[in-house]
PDB file of all heavy atoms in Angstrom:
ATOM      1  N   TRP B 161     -83.192 -92.388  90.237  1.00 97.00           N
ATOM      2  CA  TRP B 161     -82.148 -93.412  90.253  1.00 97.00           C
ATOM      3  C   TRP B 161     -81.452 -93.553  91.609  1.00 97.00           C
ATOM      4  O   TRP B 161     -80.653 -94.477  91.801  1.00 97.00           O
ATOM      5  CB  TRP B 161     -81.107 -93.138  89.149  1.00 97.00           C
ATOM      6  CG  TRP B 161     -81.753 -93.261  87.795  1.00 97.00           C
ATOM      7  CD1 TRP B 161     -82.312 -92.258  87.061  1.00 97.00           C
ATOM      8  CD2 TRP B 161     -81.965 -94.465  87.044  1.00 97.00           C
ATOM      9  NE1 TRP B 161     -82.849 -92.757  85.895  1.00 97.00           N
ATOM     10  CE2 TRP B 161     -82.648 -94.109  85.850  1.00 97.00           C
ATOM     11  CE3 TRP B 161     -81.647 -95.815  87.254  1.00 97.00           C
ATOM     12  CZ2 TRP B 161     -83.017 -95.054  84.892  1.00 97.00           C
ATOM     13  CZ3 TRP B 161     -82.005 -96.754  86.291  1.00 97.00           C
ATOM     14  CH2 TRP B 161     -82.690 -96.368  85.132  1.00 97.00           C
ATOM     15  N   ARG B 175     -82.359 -89.912  76.740  1.00 97.00           N
ATOM     16  CA  ARG B 175     -83.713 -90.268  76.284  1.00 97.00           C
ATOM     17  C   ARG B 175     -84.586 -89.017  76.201  1.00 97.00           C
ATOM     18  O   ARG B 175     -85.548 -88.978  75.445  1.00 97.00           O
ATOM     19  CB  ARG B 175     -84.367 -91.258  77.267  1.00 97.00           C
ATOM     20  CG  ARG B 175     -83.778 -92.654  77.251  1.00 97.00           C
ATOM     21  CD  ARG B 175     -84.277 -93.460  78.446  1.00 97.00           C
ATOM     22  NE  ARG B 175     -85.706 -93.649  78.453  1.00 97.00           N
ATOM     23  CZ  ARG B 175     -86.344 -94.667  77.869  1.00 97.00           C
ATOM     24  NH1 ARG B 175     -85.658 -95.591  77.222  1.00 97.00           N
ATOM     25  NH2 ARG B 175     -87.645 -94.767  77.935  1.00 97.00           N
ATOM     26  N   TYR B 186     -93.670 -85.369  73.604  1.00 98.00           N
ATOM     27  CA  TYR B 186     -92.601 -86.002  74.394  1.00 98.00           C
ATOM     28  C   TYR B 186     -91.684 -86.820  73.497  1.00 98.00           C
ATOM     29  O   TYR B 186     -90.498 -86.929  73.747  1.00 98.00           O
ATOM     30  CB  TYR B 186     -93.218 -86.892  75.479  1.00 98.00           C
ATOM     31  CG  TYR B 186     -92.259 -87.186  76.618  1.00 98.00           C
ATOM     32  CD1 TYR B 186     -91.806 -86.166  77.435  1.00 98.00           C
ATOM     33  CD2 TYR B 186     -91.799 -88.481  76.876  1.00 98.00           C
ATOM     34  CE1 TYR B 186     -90.919 -86.422  78.486  1.00 98.00           C
ATOM     35  CE2 TYR B 186     -90.926 -88.738  77.917  1.00 98.00           C
ATOM     36  CZ  TYR B 186     -90.486 -87.704  78.716  1.00 98.00           C
ATOM     37  OH  TYR B 186     -89.599 -87.946  79.753  1.00 98.00           O
ATOM     38  N   TYR B 330     -86.250-100.931  86.047  1.00 96.00           N
ATOM     39  CA  TYR B 330     -85.191-100.313  85.241  1.00 96.00           C
ATOM     40  C   TYR B 330     -83.838-100.959  85.563  1.00 96.00           C
ATOM     41  O   TYR B 330     -83.373-100.871  86.701  1.00 96.00           O
ATOM     42  CB  TYR B 330     -85.065 -98.816  85.578  1.00 96.00           C
ATOM     43  CG  TYR B 330     -86.312 -98.002  85.389  1.00 96.00           C
ATOM     44  CD1 TYR B 330     -87.167 -97.740  86.457  1.00 96.00           C
ATOM     45  CD2 TYR B 330     -86.629 -97.456  84.149  1.00 96.00           C
ATOM     46  CE1 TYR B 330     -88.307 -96.960  86.300  1.00 96.00           C
ATOM     47  CE2 TYR B 330     -87.769 -96.674  83.981  1.00 96.00           C
ATOM     48  CZ  TYR B 330     -88.604 -96.436  85.069  1.00 96.00           C
ATOM     49  OH  TYR B 330     -89.726 -95.666  84.906  1.00 96.00           O
ATOM     50  N   TYR B 365     -82.496-101.275  78.874  1.00 96.00           N
ATOM     51  CA  TYR B 365     -83.625-100.339  79.042  1.00 96.00           C
ATOM     52  C   TYR B 365     -84.328-100.191  77.686  1.00 96.00           C
ATOM     53  O   TYR B 365     -84.228 -99.178  77.022  1.00 96.00           O
ATOM     54  CB  TYR B 365     -83.031 -99.015  79.516  1.00 96.00           C
ATOM     55  CG  TYR B 365     -83.963 -97.936  80.035  1.00 96.00           C
ATOM     56  CD1 TYR B 365     -83.420 -96.826  80.673  1.00 96.00           C
ATOM     57  CD2 TYR B 365     -85.340 -97.996  79.906  1.00 96.00           C
ATOM     58  CE1 TYR B 365     -84.217 -95.801  81.166  1.00 96.00           C
ATOM     59  CE2 TYR B 365     -86.151 -96.976  80.399  1.00 96.00           C
ATOM     60  CZ  TYR B 365     -85.582 -95.894  81.025  1.00 96.00           C
ATOM     61  OH  TYR B 365     -86.366 -94.877  81.503  1.00 96.00           O
TER      62      TYR B 365
HETATM   63  N1  LIG N   1     -85.508 -87.198  83.279  1.00 51.13           N
HETATM   64  C1  LIG N   1     -85.297 -86.080  84.053  1.00 51.13           C
HETATM   65  N2  LIG N   1     -86.302 -85.155  84.164  1.00 51.13           N
HETATM   66  C2  LIG N   1     -87.501 -85.308  83.577  1.00 51.13           C
HETATM   67  C3  LIG N   1     -87.728 -86.448  82.792  1.00 51.13           C
HETATM   68  C4  LIG N   1     -86.720 -87.383  82.669  1.00 51.13           C
HETATM   69  O1  LIG N   1     -84.229 -85.926  84.629  1.00 51.13           O
HETATM   70  O2  LIG N   1     -88.376 -84.433  83.732  1.00 51.13           O
HETATM   71  C5  LIG N   1     -84.399 -88.179  83.165  1.00 51.13           C
HETATM   72  C6  LIG N   1     -84.443 -89.223  84.286  1.00 51.13           C
HETATM   73  O3  LIG N   1     -83.114 -89.565  84.618  1.00 51.13           O
HETATM   74  C7  LIG N   1     -85.167 -90.381  83.633  1.00 51.13           C
HETATM   75  C8  LIG N   1     -84.629 -90.302  82.202  1.00 51.13           C
HETATM   76  O4  LIG N   1     -84.518 -88.892  81.942  1.00 51.13           O
HETATM   77  O5  LIG N   1     -84.858 -91.610  84.241  1.00 51.13           O
HETATM   78  C9  LIG N   1     -85.479 -90.952  81.158  1.00 51.13           C
HETATM   79  O6  LIG N   1     -86.787 -90.410  81.205  1.00 51.13           O
HETATM   80  P1  LIG N   1     -88.032 -91.200  80.576  1.00 51.13           P
HETATM   81  O7  LIG N   1     -89.188 -90.272  80.594  1.00 51.13           O
HETATM   82  O8  LIG N   1     -87.623 -91.800  79.292  1.00 51.13           O
HETATM   83  O9  LIG N   1     -88.256 -92.357  81.668  1.00 51.13           O
HETATM   84  P2  LIG N   1     -89.396 -93.491  81.782  1.00 51.13           P
HETATM   85  O10 LIG N   1     -90.681 -92.924  81.239  1.00 51.13           O
HETATM   86  O11 LIG N   1     -88.875 -94.688  81.016  1.00 51.13           O
HETATM   87  O12 LIG N   1     -89.454 -93.729  83.263  1.00 51.13           O
END
Side-chain angles (χ1 to χ4, degrees):
W161 295 93
R175 289 168 62 89
Y186 200 65
Y330 302 96
Y365 192 169

